[in-house]
Amino acid sequence: MCSSERTPAMPVRRLLSPLALLTSVVLALTACGGTQSAAPGSPTGGTTLKWGWTLPTTWDPVTSSAGNDVNVLSLVYSAITRLDDKGEATPGLATGWKYAEDGKSVAFTLRPGLTFSDGSPLDATAVRKSLLRGRDQKDSLIASQLRNVEDVEVVSPTEFEVVLEQADYQIPALLAGKTGMVVNPKAFEADAKGVSTKPAGSGPFTLNRLVPGSHANLVRNPSYYDAANIHLDAFEVKAVTEPATVVAGLQSGQYDVAQLPPEQIEAARAAGLQIDLIPSLTVRVLDVNNKIAPFDDPKVTEALKYAVDRKALLETSNFGVGEVNVQPFPKGHLGYNPELENLYPHDPAKARRLLAEAGHPNGIDVPLTTGAPQGLPEQVQEQLKEAGIRTTIKLIAPAQHTQLVYVQHNVALAPDGFVGRESPLQALSVVYGPEGLMNPGRNTPEALLEKFEEIRTTPLDDPGYAGALQEAVAIGVKELPNVWLFSTPRIFARNPKVSPLPTGPAVQRFDGVRITNP
Protein backbone atom coordinates (compact mmCIF):
# COMPACT_ATOMS: atom_id res chain seq x y z
CA MET A 1 0.00 0.00 0.00
CA CYS A 2 1.00 3.63 -0.36
CA SER A 3 3.65 4.56 2.20
CA SER A 4 3.65 8.35 1.85
CA GLU A 5 2.66 10.37 4.87
CA ARG A 6 -0.57 12.33 4.97
CA THR A 7 -0.39 16.10 4.86
CA PRO A 8 -1.18 17.31 8.42
CA ALA A 9 -3.73 19.87 7.19
CA MET A 10 -5.57 17.30 5.10
CA PRO A 11 -9.29 17.25 6.07
CA VAL A 12 -10.20 13.59 6.31
CA ARG A 13 -12.79 11.75 8.31
CA ARG A 14 -13.56 8.12 8.90
CA LEU A 15 -16.33 6.99 6.54
CA LEU A 16 -16.53 3.41 7.73
CA SER A 17 -16.22 2.07 11.22
CA PRO A 18 -13.78 -0.88 11.60
CA LEU A 19 -15.00 -3.35 9.06
CA ALA A 20 -15.61 -6.32 11.27
CA LEU A 21 -18.89 -7.09 9.59
CA LEU A 22 -17.39 -9.82 7.48
CA THR A 23 -13.99 -11.46 7.87
CA SER A 24 -11.72 -13.33 5.54
CA VAL A 25 -12.25 -17.06 5.81
CA VAL A 26 -9.07 -18.98 5.09
CA LEU A 27 -9.00 -22.76 4.70
CA ALA A 28 -5.50 -24.19 4.50
CA LEU A 29 -6.36 -27.09 2.24
CA THR A 30 -4.81 -28.43 -0.94
CA ALA A 31 -5.92 -27.60 -4.45
CA CYS A 32 -4.56 -27.27 -7.97
CA GLY A 33 -1.56 -25.02 -8.53
CA GLY A 34 -1.37 -21.33 -9.35
CA THR A 35 -0.11 -20.08 -12.68
CA GLN A 36 3.65 -19.82 -13.14
CA SER A 37 3.67 -19.17 -16.89
CA ALA A 38 3.56 -15.73 -18.39
CA ALA A 39 0.75 -14.21 -20.42
CA PRO A 40 1.54 -12.96 -23.93
CA GLY A 41 3.96 -10.06 -23.67
CA SER A 42 4.96 -10.70 -20.04
CA PRO A 43 8.47 -11.53 -18.87
CA THR A 44 9.39 -15.17 -19.57
CA GLY A 45 8.84 -17.39 -16.57
CA GLY A 46 7.04 -14.70 -14.59
CA THR A 47 3.92 -15.22 -12.51
CA THR A 48 0.53 -14.57 -14.05
CA LEU A 49 -2.63 -14.27 -11.99
CA LYS A 50 -5.87 -15.24 -13.73
CA TRP A 51 -8.83 -13.35 -12.28
CA GLY A 52 -12.36 -14.52 -12.99
CA TRP A 53 -14.40 -11.32 -12.88
CA THR A 54 -16.08 -9.08 -15.47
CA LEU A 55 -14.56 -6.98 -18.21
CA PRO A 56 -15.30 -3.25 -17.98
CA THR A 57 -17.96 -1.61 -20.12
CA THR A 58 -15.09 0.52 -21.46
CA TRP A 59 -11.42 1.05 -20.61
CA ASP A 60 -11.99 4.80 -20.42
CA PRO A 61 -12.94 5.98 -16.90
CA VAL A 62 -14.64 9.05 -18.36
CA THR A 63 -17.23 7.00 -20.27
CA SER A 64 -17.46 3.99 -17.96
CA SER A 65 -21.13 3.23 -17.25
CA ALA A 66 -20.87 0.60 -14.51
CA GLY A 67 -19.72 1.10 -10.94
CA ASN A 68 -17.98 -2.28 -10.97
CA ASP A 69 -15.68 -1.09 -13.77
CA VAL A 70 -13.53 0.68 -11.19
CA ASN A 71 -12.05 -2.64 -10.05
CA VAL A 72 -10.51 -3.49 -13.42
CA LEU A 73 -9.75 0.11 -14.36
CA SER A 74 -7.68 0.36 -11.17
CA LEU A 75 -5.31 -2.17 -12.71
CA VAL A 76 -4.38 0.21 -15.55
CA TYR A 77 -5.01 3.66 -14.05
CA SER A 78 -3.84 5.46 -10.94
CA ALA A 79 -6.11 7.93 -9.21
CA ILE A 80 -5.11 11.16 -7.53
CA THR A 81 -6.06 9.73 -4.13
CA ARG A 82 -7.00 6.32 -2.73
CA LEU A 83 -9.31 5.08 0.00
CA ASP A 84 -8.01 2.96 2.84
CA ASP A 85 -9.90 0.13 4.54
CA LYS A 86 -11.78 2.65 6.68
CA GLY A 87 -12.88 4.66 3.66
CA GLU A 88 -10.54 7.57 4.36
CA ALA A 89 -8.86 9.45 1.52
CA THR A 90 -5.12 8.72 1.50
CA PRO A 91 -2.27 9.49 -0.93
CA GLY A 92 -2.35 8.14 -4.47
CA LEU A 93 -0.67 10.06 -7.25
CA ALA A 94 -0.84 12.99 -4.84
CA THR A 95 1.11 12.80 -1.60
CA GLY A 96 -1.11 15.35 0.15
CA TRP A 97 -3.54 18.22 -0.17
CA LYS A 98 -4.73 21.27 1.71
CA TYR A 99 -7.97 23.26 1.53
CA ALA A 100 -8.24 27.03 1.46
CA GLU A 101 -9.98 28.49 4.50
CA ASP A 102 -13.21 29.06 2.59
CA GLY A 103 -13.23 25.51 1.18
CA LYS A 104 -13.38 26.84 -2.41
CA SER A 105 -10.04 25.46 -3.53
CA VAL A 106 -7.80 22.56 -2.64
CA ALA A 107 -4.08 22.37 -3.45
CA PHE A 108 -2.55 18.97 -4.29
CA THR A 109 1.09 17.92 -4.40
CA LEU A 110 2.05 15.12 -6.80
CA ARG A 111 4.80 12.58 -6.31
CA PRO A 112 7.94 13.67 -8.18
CA GLY A 113 8.96 11.84 -11.36
CA LEU A 114 5.60 10.29 -12.20
CA THR A 115 5.12 8.94 -15.72
CA PHE A 116 2.38 7.25 -17.69
CA SER A 117 3.01 3.69 -18.80
CA ASP A 118 4.30 4.91 -22.19
CA GLY A 119 6.92 7.09 -20.50
CA SER A 120 5.09 10.40 -20.95
CA PRO A 121 5.35 12.71 -17.93
CA LEU A 122 2.44 12.61 -15.52
CA ASP A 123 2.68 16.11 -14.18
CA ALA A 124 0.27 18.81 -13.02
CA THR A 125 -0.45 19.83 -16.62
CA ALA A 126 -1.48 16.26 -17.50
CA VAL A 127 -3.71 16.11 -14.42
CA ARG A 128 -5.35 19.39 -15.39
CA LYS A 129 -6.11 18.20 -18.92
CA SER A 130 -7.46 14.87 -17.67
CA LEU A 131 -9.77 16.40 -15.06
CA LEU A 132 -11.12 19.04 -17.43
CA ARG A 133 -11.75 16.38 -20.06
CA GLY A 134 -13.86 14.51 -17.51
CA ARG A 135 -15.77 17.71 -16.83
CA ASP A 136 -16.23 18.89 -20.42
CA GLN A 137 -16.34 15.93 -22.81
CA LYS A 138 -19.85 15.58 -24.22
CA ASP A 139 -20.21 11.85 -23.50
CA SER A 140 -18.55 12.02 -20.08
CA LEU A 141 -20.38 10.11 -17.36
CA ILE A 142 -18.36 11.75 -14.60
CA ALA A 143 -19.12 15.31 -15.72
CA SER A 144 -21.75 15.84 -13.03
CA GLN A 145 -19.18 14.99 -10.36
CA LEU A 146 -16.83 17.68 -11.67
CA ARG A 147 -19.40 20.38 -12.37
CA ASN A 148 -18.30 22.33 -9.31
CA VAL A 149 -14.73 22.49 -10.65
CA GLU A 150 -14.22 25.98 -12.06
CA ASP A 151 -10.65 25.29 -13.13
CA VAL A 152 -7.51 23.34 -12.35
CA GLU A 153 -4.55 25.68 -12.01
CA VAL A 154 -1.00 24.44 -12.55
CA VAL A 155 1.28 25.83 -9.87
CA SER A 156 4.39 23.80 -10.72
CA PRO A 157 5.09 20.42 -12.38
CA THR A 158 4.18 18.70 -9.11
CA GLU A 159 1.55 21.11 -7.76
CA PHE A 160 -1.95 21.93 -8.90
CA GLU A 161 -4.95 23.63 -7.37
CA VAL A 162 -8.56 22.57 -7.94
CA VAL A 163 -10.57 25.80 -7.96
CA LEU A 164 -14.22 25.33 -7.04
CA GLU A 165 -17.32 27.40 -7.72
CA GLN A 166 -18.42 26.69 -4.18
CA ALA A 167 -16.96 25.00 -1.14
CA ASP A 168 -16.75 21.22 -1.56
CA TYR A 169 -15.03 19.05 1.02
CA GLN A 170 -15.79 15.82 -0.85
CA ILE A 171 -13.07 16.36 -3.47
CA PRO A 172 -10.27 14.17 -1.98
CA ALA A 173 -12.61 11.16 -1.64
CA LEU A 174 -14.20 11.84 -5.03
CA LEU A 175 -10.79 11.72 -6.73
CA ALA A 176 -10.08 8.24 -5.37
CA GLY A 177 -12.29 6.57 -7.98
CA LYS A 178 -12.96 6.82 -11.71
CA THR A 179 -13.38 10.60 -11.41
CA GLY A 180 -9.78 10.95 -10.23
CA MET A 181 -8.16 8.42 -12.60
CA VAL A 182 -5.66 10.34 -14.72
CA VAL A 183 -5.78 9.53 -18.44
CA ASN A 184 -2.78 10.34 -20.59
CA PRO A 185 -3.58 13.51 -22.61
CA LYS A 186 -1.30 12.25 -25.37
CA ALA A 187 -3.82 9.45 -25.99
CA PHE A 188 -7.14 11.26 -25.71
CA GLU A 189 -5.98 14.33 -27.60
CA ALA A 190 -5.01 12.07 -30.51
CA ASP A 191 -8.03 9.72 -30.35
CA ALA A 192 -10.48 10.16 -27.48
CA LYS A 193 -12.68 7.26 -28.56
CA GLY A 194 -9.68 4.98 -28.85
CA VAL A 195 -9.16 5.10 -25.09
CA SER A 196 -12.21 2.83 -24.74
CA THR A 197 -10.13 -0.14 -25.94
CA LYS A 198 -6.61 1.19 -25.40
CA PRO A 199 -6.30 2.49 -21.83
CA ALA A 200 -3.61 5.09 -21.31
CA GLY A 201 -2.83 5.30 -17.63
CA SER A 202 -0.14 4.85 -15.01
CA GLY A 203 -1.50 1.93 -13.00
CA PRO A 204 0.27 -1.22 -11.84
CA PHE A 205 -0.35 -2.96 -15.20
CA THR A 206 -0.76 -2.09 -18.86
CA LEU A 207 -3.15 -3.73 -21.31
CA ASN A 208 -1.30 -6.03 -23.68
CA ARG A 209 -4.09 -7.88 -25.47
CA LEU A 210 -7.88 -7.58 -25.40
CA VAL A 211 -10.42 -10.11 -26.63
CA PRO A 212 -13.78 -8.34 -26.13
CA GLY A 213 -16.24 -10.33 -24.07
CA SER A 214 -13.60 -12.93 -23.21
CA HIS A 215 -10.40 -11.77 -21.55
CA ALA A 216 -7.75 -9.11 -21.22
CA ASN A 217 -4.02 -9.75 -20.82
CA LEU A 218 -2.03 -7.21 -18.85
CA VAL A 219 1.67 -6.89 -18.03
CA ARG A 220 3.42 -5.29 -15.09
CA ASN A 221 4.13 -1.57 -15.40
CA PRO A 222 7.64 -1.00 -14.00
CA SER A 223 7.05 2.77 -13.81
CA TYR A 224 4.05 2.46 -11.46
CA TYR A 225 4.68 4.63 -8.40
CA ASP A 226 4.25 1.67 -6.04
CA ALA A 227 5.81 -0.97 -8.31
CA ALA A 228 7.76 -2.43 -5.38
CA ASN A 229 4.46 -3.66 -3.96
CA ILE A 230 3.37 -5.42 -7.18
CA HIS A 231 4.67 -9.00 -7.19
CA LEU A 232 2.90 -10.29 -10.30
CA ASP A 233 4.52 -10.06 -13.72
CA ALA A 234 1.26 -10.41 -15.60
CA PHE A 235 -2.45 -10.35 -15.01
CA GLU A 236 -5.33 -11.86 -16.95
CA VAL A 237 -8.90 -10.71 -16.41
CA LYS A 238 -11.24 -13.44 -17.62
CA ALA A 239 -14.97 -12.84 -17.99
CA VAL A 240 -16.99 -15.33 -15.96
CA THR A 241 -19.77 -16.32 -18.35
CA GLU A 242 -21.05 -19.33 -16.38
CA PRO A 243 -20.98 -18.65 -12.62
CA ALA A 244 -21.95 -22.27 -11.92
CA THR A 245 -18.60 -23.44 -13.31
CA VAL A 246 -16.36 -21.19 -11.22
CA VAL A 247 -15.23 -23.91 -8.81
CA ALA A 248 -14.40 -26.26 -11.68
CA GLY A 249 -12.54 -23.41 -13.38
CA LEU A 250 -10.46 -22.82 -10.28
CA GLN A 251 -9.68 -26.53 -9.98
CA SER A 252 -8.62 -26.79 -13.61
CA GLY A 253 -6.42 -23.70 -13.49
CA GLN A 254 -8.68 -21.60 -15.71
CA TYR A 255 -8.72 -19.08 -12.83
CA ASP A 256 -6.44 -18.47 -9.87
CA VAL A 257 -8.93 -16.13 -8.18
CA ALA A 258 -12.57 -15.77 -9.12
CA GLN A 259 -15.73 -14.06 -8.01
CA LEU A 260 -17.85 -16.75 -6.42
CA PRO A 261 -21.64 -17.00 -6.28
CA PRO A 262 -22.72 -17.45 -2.65
CA GLU A 263 -24.33 -20.80 -3.36
CA GLN A 264 -20.92 -22.21 -4.31
CA ILE A 265 -19.09 -21.37 -1.09
CA GLU A 266 -19.46 -24.84 0.41
CA ALA A 267 -18.46 -26.53 -2.86
CA ALA A 268 -15.38 -24.33 -3.02
CA ARG A 269 -14.45 -25.23 0.53
CA ALA A 270 -14.89 -28.91 -0.24
CA ALA A 271 -12.60 -28.50 -3.25
CA GLY A 272 -9.82 -27.17 -1.02
CA LEU A 273 -10.09 -23.58 -2.15
CA GLN A 274 -9.67 -20.57 0.11
CA ILE A 275 -12.60 -18.19 0.53
CA ASP A 276 -12.35 -14.43 1.06
CA LEU A 277 -15.41 -12.46 2.14
CA ILE A 278 -14.43 -8.83 1.65
CA PRO A 279 -16.69 -6.07 3.02
CA SER A 280 -17.96 -3.85 0.22
CA LEU A 281 -20.30 -0.95 -0.49
CA THR A 282 -22.58 -3.12 -2.63
CA VAL A 283 -26.34 -3.09 -1.94
CA ARG A 284 -28.91 -5.02 -3.98
CA VAL A 285 -31.85 -2.92 -5.07
CA LEU A 286 -34.94 -2.78 -7.26
CA ASP A 287 -34.62 0.11 -9.69
CA VAL A 288 -37.96 1.88 -10.10
CA ASN A 289 -38.73 4.55 -12.69
CA ASN A 290 -41.38 6.79 -11.15
CA LYS A 291 -42.01 8.50 -14.48
CA ILE A 292 -43.63 5.29 -15.76
CA ALA A 293 -47.16 4.36 -14.63
CA PRO A 294 -48.21 2.97 -12.23
CA PHE A 295 -45.01 3.87 -10.36
CA ASP A 296 -45.69 7.56 -10.90
CA ASP A 297 -47.99 7.25 -7.87
CA PRO A 298 -45.97 7.39 -4.59
CA LYS A 299 -48.40 4.98 -2.92
CA VAL A 300 -47.56 2.32 -5.51
CA THR A 301 -43.82 2.67 -4.96
CA GLU A 302 -44.39 2.60 -1.21
CA ALA A 303 -46.37 -0.61 -1.67
CA LEU A 304 -43.31 -2.15 -3.34
CA LYS A 305 -41.20 -1.40 -0.28
CA TYR A 306 -43.58 -3.31 1.99
CA ALA A 307 -44.18 -6.13 -0.52
CA VAL A 308 -40.64 -7.52 -0.50
CA ASP A 309 -39.38 -9.87 2.20
CA ARG A 310 -35.74 -8.81 2.39
CA LYS A 311 -34.66 -11.46 4.86
CA ALA A 312 -36.13 -14.23 2.71
CA LEU A 313 -34.45 -12.78 -0.40
CA LEU A 314 -31.10 -12.64 1.40
CA GLU A 315 -31.42 -16.21 2.66
CA THR A 316 -32.56 -17.72 -0.63
CA SER A 317 -30.88 -15.68 -3.36
CA ASN A 318 -27.64 -14.90 -1.49
CA PHE A 319 -27.56 -17.91 0.86
CA GLY A 320 -27.56 -15.62 3.88
CA VAL A 321 -24.26 -13.95 2.96
CA GLY A 322 -24.81 -10.26 3.72
CA GLU A 323 -27.24 -8.15 5.74
CA VAL A 324 -30.81 -6.95 5.24
CA ASN A 325 -30.74 -3.26 4.33
CA VAL A 326 -33.28 -0.59 3.35
CA GLN A 327 -30.76 2.13 2.44
CA PRO A 328 -27.86 2.72 0.04
CA PHE A 329 -25.03 2.50 2.60
CA PRO A 330 -24.09 -0.68 4.49
CA LYS A 331 -23.91 -0.88 8.26
CA GLY A 332 -20.71 0.65 9.56
CA HIS A 333 -20.68 3.39 6.94
CA LEU A 334 -20.81 6.94 8.28
CA GLY A 335 -23.92 7.59 6.17
CA TYR A 336 -25.84 4.57 7.45
CA ASN A 337 -28.92 5.78 9.30
CA PRO A 338 -29.83 3.33 12.11
CA GLU A 339 -33.26 4.92 12.53
CA LEU A 340 -34.29 3.45 9.17
CA GLU A 341 -33.53 -0.19 9.99
CA ASN A 342 -37.13 -1.31 10.51
CA LEU A 343 -38.78 1.24 8.27
CA TYR A 344 -40.26 -1.18 5.73
CA PRO A 345 -41.05 -4.55 7.34
CA HIS A 346 -42.50 -7.24 5.10
CA ASP A 347 -46.23 -6.51 5.13
CA PRO A 348 -48.10 -7.67 1.99
CA ALA A 349 -51.45 -6.70 3.51
CA LYS A 350 -50.29 -3.11 3.93
CA ALA A 351 -48.94 -3.17 0.38
CA ARG A 352 -52.38 -4.22 -0.92
CA ARG A 353 -54.04 -1.43 1.07
CA LEU A 354 -51.66 1.12 -0.42
CA LEU A 355 -52.45 -0.17 -3.91
CA ALA A 356 -56.16 0.15 -3.20
CA GLU A 357 -55.65 3.73 -1.99
CA ALA A 358 -53.86 4.41 -5.27
CA GLY A 359 -56.90 3.19 -7.21
CA HIS A 360 -55.77 -0.40 -7.80
CA PRO A 361 -58.00 -2.55 -5.55
CA ASN A 362 -57.41 -5.55 -7.81
CA GLY A 363 -53.67 -5.10 -7.91
CA ILE A 364 -51.41 -4.16 -10.81
CA ASP A 365 -49.63 -5.89 -13.68
CA VAL A 366 -46.09 -4.72 -14.50
CA PRO A 367 -43.01 -6.06 -16.30
CA LEU A 368 -39.93 -7.05 -14.30
CA THR A 369 -36.92 -6.50 -16.56
CA THR A 370 -33.77 -8.52 -15.90
CA GLY A 371 -30.74 -10.06 -17.52
CA ALA A 372 -30.82 -13.01 -15.13
CA PRO A 373 -34.24 -14.68 -14.96
CA GLN A 374 -33.31 -17.21 -12.29
CA GLY A 375 -32.69 -16.54 -8.62
CA LEU A 376 -33.56 -13.11 -7.26
CA PRO A 377 -35.98 -12.02 -10.03
CA GLU A 378 -38.07 -15.16 -9.64
CA GLN A 379 -38.20 -14.78 -5.87
CA VAL A 380 -39.11 -11.10 -6.14
CA GLN A 381 -41.86 -12.08 -8.58
CA GLU A 382 -43.39 -14.51 -6.09
CA GLN A 383 -43.24 -12.03 -3.21
CA LEU A 384 -44.80 -9.20 -5.18
CA LYS A 385 -47.59 -11.49 -6.34
CA GLU A 386 -48.65 -12.03 -2.73
CA ALA A 387 -49.06 -8.25 -2.40
CA GLY A 388 -51.14 -7.93 -5.57
CA ILE A 389 -48.26 -6.84 -7.80
CA ARG A 390 -48.28 -9.30 -10.69
CA THR A 391 -45.07 -9.21 -12.73
CA THR A 392 -44.03 -10.71 -16.03
CA ILE A 393 -40.31 -11.31 -16.24
CA LYS A 394 -38.89 -9.61 -19.32
CA LEU A 395 -35.49 -11.04 -20.18
CA ILE A 396 -32.86 -8.80 -21.77
CA ALA A 397 -29.18 -9.29 -22.55
CA PRO A 398 -27.06 -8.17 -19.56
CA ALA A 399 -25.16 -5.80 -21.85
CA GLN A 400 -28.42 -3.96 -22.57
CA HIS A 401 -29.19 -3.21 -18.93
CA THR A 402 -27.27 0.06 -18.65
CA GLN A 403 -28.56 1.37 -21.96
CA LEU A 404 -32.22 0.57 -21.31
CA VAL A 405 -32.41 1.45 -17.61
CA TYR A 406 -29.96 4.32 -17.23
CA VAL A 407 -29.67 5.90 -20.65
CA GLN A 408 -33.03 5.42 -22.35
CA HIS A 409 -34.99 5.38 -19.06
CA ASN A 410 -37.67 3.10 -20.50
CA VAL A 411 -37.64 0.33 -17.88
CA ALA A 412 -40.19 0.53 -15.06
CA LEU A 413 -38.86 -2.10 -12.65
CA ALA A 414 -35.54 -3.97 -12.63
CA PRO A 415 -33.40 -5.82 -10.06
CA ASP A 416 -29.95 -4.31 -9.79
CA GLY A 417 -26.95 -3.80 -7.54
CA PHE A 418 -25.45 -0.51 -6.39
CA VAL A 419 -21.71 -0.84 -5.86
CA GLY A 420 -21.21 2.41 -3.98
CA ARG A 421 -18.86 5.30 -4.67
CA GLU A 422 -15.75 6.72 -3.05
CA SER A 423 -17.43 9.97 -1.99
CA PRO A 424 -20.63 9.61 0.08
CA LEU A 425 -22.15 12.62 -1.66
CA GLN A 426 -21.25 11.11 -5.03
CA ALA A 427 -23.03 7.90 -4.00
CA LEU A 428 -26.15 9.81 -2.96
CA SER A 429 -26.05 11.80 -6.20
CA VAL A 430 -25.92 8.59 -8.26
CA VAL A 431 -29.01 7.10 -6.64
CA TYR A 432 -31.01 10.23 -5.80
CA GLY A 433 -29.57 13.18 -7.74
CA PRO A 434 -31.40 14.87 -10.64
CA GLU A 435 -28.84 13.41 -13.06
CA GLY A 436 -28.11 10.24 -11.13
CA LEU A 437 -27.69 7.07 -13.18
CA MET A 438 -29.83 5.15 -10.71
CA ASN A 439 -32.52 7.81 -10.58
CA PRO A 440 -34.14 7.19 -13.99
CA GLY A 441 -37.23 9.22 -13.00
CA ARG A 442 -34.98 12.27 -12.51
CA ASN A 443 -37.06 13.41 -9.52
CA THR A 444 -35.10 14.86 -6.62
CA PRO A 445 -36.95 16.57 -3.73
CA GLU A 446 -35.88 20.14 -3.03
CA ALA A 447 -35.20 19.21 0.60
CA LEU A 448 -32.72 16.59 -0.59
CA LEU A 449 -30.94 19.05 -2.88
CA GLU A 450 -30.58 21.39 0.09
CA LYS A 451 -29.13 18.55 2.15
CA PHE A 452 -26.67 17.75 -0.66
CA GLU A 453 -25.48 21.33 -0.46
CA GLU A 454 -25.02 21.06 3.30
CA ILE A 455 -22.97 17.87 2.91
CA ARG A 456 -20.81 19.42 0.20
CA THR A 457 -19.96 22.52 2.22
CA THR A 458 -19.39 20.82 5.57
CA PRO A 459 -15.77 19.92 6.44
CA LEU A 460 -15.40 16.19 7.04
CA ASP A 461 -14.15 16.75 10.57
CA ASP A 462 -17.20 18.86 11.47
CA PRO A 463 -19.38 17.16 14.14
CA GLY A 464 -22.46 17.79 12.00
CA TYR A 465 -21.17 16.03 8.90
CA ALA A 466 -22.39 12.52 9.75
CA GLY A 467 -25.79 13.82 10.75
CA ALA A 468 -26.21 15.64 7.44
CA LEU A 469 -25.36 12.46 5.54
CA GLN A 470 -27.85 10.40 7.50
CA GLU A 471 -30.60 12.98 7.12
CA ALA A 472 -30.08 12.97 3.36
CA VAL A 473 -30.33 9.18 3.35
CA ALA A 474 -33.61 9.35 5.25
CA ILE A 475 -35.12 11.77 2.74
CA GLY A 476 -34.03 9.66 -0.21
CA VAL A 477 -35.22 6.37 1.25
CA LYS A 478 -38.63 7.75 2.18
CA GLU A 479 -39.37 9.96 -0.83
CA LEU A 480 -37.68 8.28 -3.79
CA PRO A 481 -38.73 4.93 -5.28
CA ASN A 482 -35.58 2.78 -5.02
CA VAL A 483 -36.35 -0.45 -3.12
CA TRP A 484 -33.20 -1.40 -1.21
CA LEU A 485 -32.90 -5.09 -0.31
CA PHE A 486 -29.64 -6.23 1.27
CA SER A 487 -25.91 -5.51 1.48
CA THR A 488 -23.40 -8.03 0.16
CA PRO A 489 -19.64 -8.58 0.45
CA ARG A 490 -17.33 -9.39 -2.44
CA ILE A 491 -16.94 -13.19 -2.45
CA PHE A 492 -13.78 -14.71 -3.88
CA ALA A 493 -12.46 -18.24 -4.09
CA ARG A 494 -8.74 -18.55 -4.67
CA ASN A 495 -6.06 -21.12 -5.23
CA PRO A 496 -4.10 -21.74 -1.99
CA LYS A 497 -0.94 -20.66 -3.81
CA VAL A 498 -2.38 -17.15 -4.06
CA SER A 499 -1.82 -15.02 -0.98
CA PRO A 500 -4.84 -13.34 0.73
CA LEU A 501 -6.43 -10.50 -1.19
CA PRO A 502 -6.30 -6.95 0.18
CA THR A 503 -9.47 -5.71 1.80
CA GLY A 504 -11.00 -2.40 0.86
CA PRO A 505 -14.66 -1.40 0.63
CA ALA A 506 -14.56 0.50 -2.66
CA VAL A 507 -12.00 -1.16 -4.95
CA GLN A 508 -10.55 -4.64 -5.17
CA ARG A 509 -6.79 -4.23 -5.37
CA PHE A 510 -3.98 -6.75 -5.76
CA ASP A 511 -1.14 -4.84 -4.13
CA GLY A 512 1.12 -7.27 -2.29
CA VAL A 513 -0.53 -10.37 -3.75
CA ARG A 514 1.87 -13.22 -4.53
CA ILE A 515 1.70 -16.65 -6.11
CA THR A 516 3.91 -19.10 -4.26
CA ASN A 517 5.01 -22.68 -4.72
CA PRO A 518 3.60 -25.28 -2.29
Side-chain angles (χ1 to χ4, degrees):
M1 291 293 182
C2 175
S3 59
S4 297
E5 294 182 354
R6 180 181 300 156
T7 300
M10 183 189 309
V12 295
R13 170 74 178 256
R14 172 179 291 190
L15 299 182
L16 295 167
S17 63
L19 293 170
L21 304 176
L22 296 162
T23 58
S24 175
V25 182
V26 180
L27 304 174
L29 304 172
T30 60
C32 60
T35 305
Q36 295 293 326
S37 59
S42 68
T44 304
T47 55
T48 299
L49 187 141
K50 298 178 181 179
W51 184 24
W53 185 249
T54 57
L55 292 178
T57 57
T58 173
W59 291 84
D60 185 350
V62 166
T63 57
S64 163
S65 60
N68 253 336
D69 286 354
V70 70
N71 296 285
V72 175
L73 295 180
S74 292
L75 296 173
V76 294
Y77 291 100
S78 299
I80 294 169
T81 60
R82 295 176 63 161
L83 294 190
D84 64 12
D85 285 2
K86 298 175 182 178
E88 294 180 350
T90 62
L93 292 172
T95 57
W97 50 91
K98 183 177 181 180
Y99 269 91
E101 289 187 9
D102 62 2
K104 294 182 66 175
S105 67
V106 52
F108 289 85
T109 301
L110 292 172
R111 300 170 187 274
L114 291 172
T115 64
F116 291 102
S117 58
D118 70 348
S120 302
L122 198 170
D123 55 16
T125 298
V127 172
R128 178 181 189 274
K129 290 181 177 181
S130 183
L131 288 176
L132 295 184
R133 175 194 177 226
R135 185 194 67 181
D136 299 336
Q137 185 167 296
K138 288 184 178 180
D139 60 349
S140 172
L141 294 179
I142 62 172
S144 63
Q145 306 304 326
L146 294 168
R147 182 163 296 157
N148 189 32
V149 175
E150 183 176 288
D151 198 2
V152 179
E153 296 181 353
V154 175
V155 179
S156 75
T158 58
E159 298 172 295
F160 64 93
E161 184 173 359
V162 178
V163 181
L164 306 168
E165 293 183 358
Q166 56 184 322
D168 188 346
Y169 291 95
Q170 297 282 307
I171 296 296
L174 181 70
L175 297 182
K178 289 186 291 185
T179 307
M181 289 181 176
V182 181
V183 182
N184 191 342
K186 181 179 177 181
F188 66 73
E189 288 176 347
D191 181 11
K193 293 188 179 299
V195 180
S196 65
T197 56
K198 299 176 182 178
S202 61
F205 299 91
T206 59
L207 181 64
N208 176 257
R209 181 168 180 258
L210 173 64
V211 179
S214 175
H215 64 276
N217 295 114
L218 303 99
V219 295
R220 187 174 182 270
N221 174 18
S223 66
Y224 175 54
Y225 70 80
D226 196 21
N229 203 25
I230 302 299
H231 307 302
L232 303 167
D233 291 307
F235 204 102
E236 185 172 2
V237 183
K238 308 187 75 171
V240 177
T241 56
E242 295 292 339
T245 65
V246 168
V247 172
L250 285 157
Q251 289 179 297
S252 69
Q254 180 182 4
Y255 313 118
D256 298 312
V257 177
Q259 183 180 25
L260 190 72
E263 64 269 22
Q264 292 191 41
I265 290 177
E266 291 307 317
R269 288 173 173 166
L273 300 168
Q274 295 181 339
I275 307 298
D276 290 336
L277 301 179
I278 299 178
S280 79
L281 302 179
T282 302
V283 184
R284 293 304 303 270
V285 61
L286 296 181
D287 288 329
V288 183
N289 189 333
N290 60 3
K291 285 285 181 68
I292 299 177
F295 300 121
D296 53 349
D297 188 322
K299 287 187 179 294
V300 175
T301 58
E302 186 179 4
L304 275 176
K305 296 175 183 180
Y306 286 103
V308 292
D309 185 342
R310 294 169 178 80
K311 181 173 174 53
L313 290 175
L314 175 64
E315 294 295 330
T316 53
S317 69
N318 223 55
F319 286 69
V321 181
E323 291 188 277
V324 168
N325 197 359
V326 300
Q327 52 189 299
F329 295 124
K331 286 184 178 178
H333 192 284
L334 192 66
Y336 183 86
N337 190 327
E339 296 180 0
L340 303 178
E341 285 187 13
N342 300 311
L343 183 62
Y344 296 112
H346 180 223
D347 191 342
K350 183 169 184 175
R352 287 194 297 271
R353 289 196 300 272
L354 287 165
L355 290 177
E357 291 173 13
H360 306 286
N362 298 320
I364 57 175
D365 295 274
V366 296
L368 180 65
T369 304
T370 179
Q374 298 180 339
L376 181 67
E378 291 180 330
Q379 294 155 25
V380 168
Q381 183 182 46
E382 287 301 310
Q383 290 184 1
L384 296 184
K385 182 179 179 181
E386 183 183 2
I389 304 171
R390 297 173 294 273
T391 62
T392 301
I393 292 179
K394 181 180 178 181
L395 185 61
I396 60 172
Q400 291 182 296
H401 183 274
T402 295
Q403 183 69 22
L404 294 176
V405 178
Y406 300 141
V407 179
Q408 297 180 11
H409 305 152
N410 60 5
V411 171
L413 180 65
D416 199 1
F418 176 55
V419 296
R421 296 295 188 272
E422 287 74 19
S423 156
L425 180 57
Q426 181 189 16
L428 290 173
S429 297
V430 168
V431 295
Y432 296 138
E435 296 181 2
L437 281 176
M438 296 186 70
N439 183 15
R442 296 294 191 261
N443 294 320
T444 304
E446 187 62 32
L448 187 53
L449 291 175
E450 292 174 359
K451 194 58 62 174
F452 283 0
E453 185 63 20
E454 181 181 347
I455 294 168
R456 180 181 294 108
T457 57
T458 300
L460 305 191
D461 57 359
D462 188 292
Y465 175 66
L469 272 177
Q470 293 173 17
E471 289 168 12
V473 169
I475 295 171
V477 167
K478 294 175 182 179
E479 298 192 28
L480 286 165
N482 317 62
V483 182
W484 303 98
L485 302 174
F486 52 85
S487 301
T488 65
R490 292 193 293 274
I491 308 173
F492 290 110
R494 56 184 168 85
N495 188 301
K497 289 186 177 182
V498 179
S499 62
L501 303 183
T503 57
V507 177
Q508 185 56 54
R509 299 190 184 278
F510 290 85
D511 307 62
V513 173
R514 299 176 184 269
I515 297 177
T516 60
N517 290 316

